[in-house]
Amino acid sequence: MTNLRGLRWPAALAVALLAATACGRSDQGGGASSGGVSAAEGSTAAELLPARYKKSGVLRVATAVGYPPMEMYKPGTTELTGVDPDLAQAIAKRLGLRLELTNAAFDGLIPGLTSGRFDLVMSSMTDSPQRRQAVDFVDYFRTGGVIMTKKGNPEGITSIEDLCGKSVVLAKGSSNLDIGQRQNAECGKKMRISQSEDAPTGLLQLDSGRAVATIVDYPVAQLFAKKNKAYQTLPRQYGAAPWGIAVAKDQSGLRDAVRKALQDLIDDGGYRKILDTWGVGGSAVSRATVNDGR
């Protein structure tokens, strides 16, 4: 996706909305060769781990809550949950380390990583050329925007081309707005595009009939559709891009150990089980790669 995070909401609002119907968020942010990294033949993820991490026994992972179902608080608590916390726990277990998971402001995640405050960042972070100037990524998720309509899809929309000539609402500043505007440039009969503050207020326009469709980040859309049966999603993703686990550039040993741990989880099905638990299996990857964004 062309934005670097997705739709961002304040954490307190996200928790409140999760308890009701659904939640989401939006942000802009700031290597090694792409593709898979060959681990030492026969080495386990724990064996690849540099000595300093084995000695500490702890894997310090930072995330930023407010983007369900990827990372959020359990309703009524400050306990972190979601896809990224679950994957972080599974990776730490593969590495033989105890997970120490911290919530931090999204714009402070990379500075905290490069300063040594955190070992990894797992927070729905797009693997972008800009960010790869500062960190490496182990790519673990590939996602884009999906079209949402009212339940039953009364307009019979099957693809983004079908939005031409229709009233569409898109969130301000999001990659999904870019996706819609690029398609609109190709339309013979132009869309009537309105801009909402965020995804939830955009869905209100579907309720009122002011718009017939919107485009929402796939993970968030899945949660919306699950929590509120008034909406449905179409299967195809647009503008898909990889999200990565960020690692400091001077920690290639940790990066390779994490890639190995993730690949093992992919191979044994543990990875897909986590994604399916949260309803986002459609963004699963088949290989753990490094710096594979474009």
Side-chain angles (χ1 to χ4, degrees):
M1 301 172 70
T2 54
N3 77 331
L4 301 183
R5 172 83 187 231
L7 298 170
R8 185 183 185 118
W9 303 344
L13 176 61
V15 173
L17 288 169
L18 179 62
T21 58
C23 322
R25 75 169 120 184
S26 136
D27 233 276
Q28 301 286 329
S33 59
S34 73
V37 175
S38 296
E41 187 69 27
S43 297
T44 66
E47 289 168 344
L48 290 174
L49 198 64
R52 59 175 286 193
Y53 299 101
K54 295 177 182 178
K55 183 176 180 180
S56 74
V58 175
L59 184 67
R60 301 169 303 162
V61 179
T63 193
V65 299
Y67 190 51
M70 299 303 293
E71 51 271 330
M72 55 194 171
Y73 288 129
K74 285 187 176 179
T77 77
T78 57
E79 182 180 351
L80 292 165
T81 190
V83 178
D84 284 338
D86 283 2
L87 275 177
Q89 183 62 66
I91 288 170
K93 185 176 180 180
R94 287 278 178 175
L95 296 173
L97 301 176
R98 175 176 61 83
L99 176 65
E100 183 179 284
L101 190 60
T102 301
N103 177 47
F106 189 78
D107 59 6
L109 292 177
I110 287 181
L113 181 67
T114 56
S115 69
R117 182 181 172 196
F118 314 125
D119 301 320
L120 303 175
V121 166
M122 295 183 66
S123 196
S124 307
M125 187 172 283
T126 302
D127 174 356
S128 69
Q130 180 186 4
R131 286 185 173 134
R132 286 198 301 277
Q133 294 176 25
V135 299
D136 285 339
F137 286 103
V138 177
D139 295 320
Y140 70 104
F141 203 74
R142 186 172 183 86
T143 201
V146 294
I147 296 169
M148 294 194 73
T149 69
K150 278 189 172 181
K151 191 70 173 180
N153 191 7
E155 297 289 325
I157 296 165
T158 60
S159 70
I160 197 167
E161 290 80 12
D162 291 341
L163 299 183
C164 294
K166 294 183 171 62
S167 296
V168 178
V169 58
L170 302 166
K172 291 178 181 177
S174 71
S175 61
N176 298 310
L177 175 60
D178 294 338
I179 291 167
Q181 289 175 332
R182 286 198 301 271
Q183 175 57 41
N184 201 31
E186 302 295 322
C187 290
K189 186 176 181 181
K190 300 300 181 184
M191 302 177 200
R192 298 178 294 279
I193 295 177
S194 59
Q195 296 185 32
S196 62
E197 290 299 321
D198 51 33
T201 54
L203 289 174
L204 293 177
Q205 292 196 32
L206 269 63
D207 293 340
S208 67
R210 292 171 58 196
V212 300
T214 185
I215 303 174
V216 179
D217 289 355
Y218 165 78
V220 181
Q222 294 299 99
L223 186 60
F224 282 152
K226 180 180 179 181
K227 294 290 184 179
N228 192 325
K229 302 304 182 183
Y231 311 116
Q232 72 177 63
T233 64
L234 302 189
R236 181 175 173 185
Q237 297 185 35
Y238 298 93
W243 289 355
I245 302 166
V247 191
K249 279 195 169 292
D250 62 356
Q251 297 301 318
S252 59
L254 174 62
R255 179 200 67 202
D256 292 351
V258 168
R259 191 212 66 82
K260 172 64 172 168
L262 178 60
Q263 186 62 55
D264 288 346
L265 286 166
I266 291 171
D267 292 343
D268 72 10
Y271 161 83
R272 185 59 186 255
K273 182 177 180 180
I274 290 171
L275 269 59
D276 285 344
T277 295
W278 293 101
V280 294
S283 283
V285 298
S286 60
R287 284 196 313 135
T289 56
V290 170
N291 294 335
D292 214 14
R294 297 291 182 262

